[in-house]
Amino acid sequence: MTTDAFLADCRARLAFDLLSNTWNAVVLWALRDGPRRPVELRERIGGISSKVLTETLRRLQFNGLVDRQAHPDSSSRVEYQLTALGRTLLAPIDAVGAWAFEHGDEVMAAQEAACVPDPQSARSPC
């Protein structure tokens, strides 16, 4: 059986593209408990700049995964929340997280082993 599941225009590749961005899954996961203001997201996530968070939220909104809610009583109060479509990605993100928890040490050990300098080579592998 031949499958074209990973060709450029297929839906499986669309899903992998959405999750391959480092921050997409992290922001979606941070929104799982309800709406958050950008400053709350930055505090909750850690290590993400305001610029990258804004770009990520816009990309997630463009893809229909996040909704932006501006409050009429304040010109600067904005919250983001998952859409119904965005919530459907929580289970796959959770599954990847469980895999990482179970196999993360193995991956890190493989990375460390790959970085051991080869005495025969003048170049470092890492």
Side-chain angles (χ1 to χ4, degrees):
M1 178 175 150
T2 303
T3 179
D4 293 333
F6 296 102
L7 294 179
D9 61 348
C10 78
R11 290 184 175 151
R13 196 154 144 193
L14 169 70
F16 283 113
D17 286 344
L18 285 173
L19 293 177
S20 67
N21 178 285
T22 301
W23 295 110
N24 284 356
V26 174
V27 171
L28 290 170
W29 191 254
L31 288 169
R32 74 188 180 283
D33 294 328
R36 301 258 184 232
R37 297 182 70 198
V39 69
E40 295 171 323
L41 284 170
R42 281 195 62 217
E43 289 171 0
R44 187 168 192 170
I45 293 170
I48 189 170
S49 70
S50 294
K51 178 184 179 224
V52 171
L53 177 59
T54 299
E55 290 169 354
T56 302
L57 287 165
R58 286 180 182 159
R59 183 174 44 253
L60 294 172
Q61 186 180 8
F62 173 79
N63 285 294
L65 304 173
V66 167
D67 185 39
R68 180 181 186 272
Q69 185 74 31
H71 289 270
D73 57 325
S74 171
S75 62
S76 63
R77 184 168 168 88
V78 174
E79 288 184 332
Y80 291 89
Q81 64 185 4
L82 293 176
T83 62
L85 180 61
R87 288 203 163 282
T88 65
L89 278 174
L90 293 178
I93 292 168
D94 187 44
V96 171
W99 180 90
F101 185 78
E102 185 175 339
H103 299 287
D105 290 339
E106 296 170 64
V107 172
M108 290 175 19
Q111 290 172 350
E112 288 175 16
C115 287
V116 173
D118 180 5
Q120 307 266 335
S121 173
R123 294 182 356 174
S124 171
C126 296

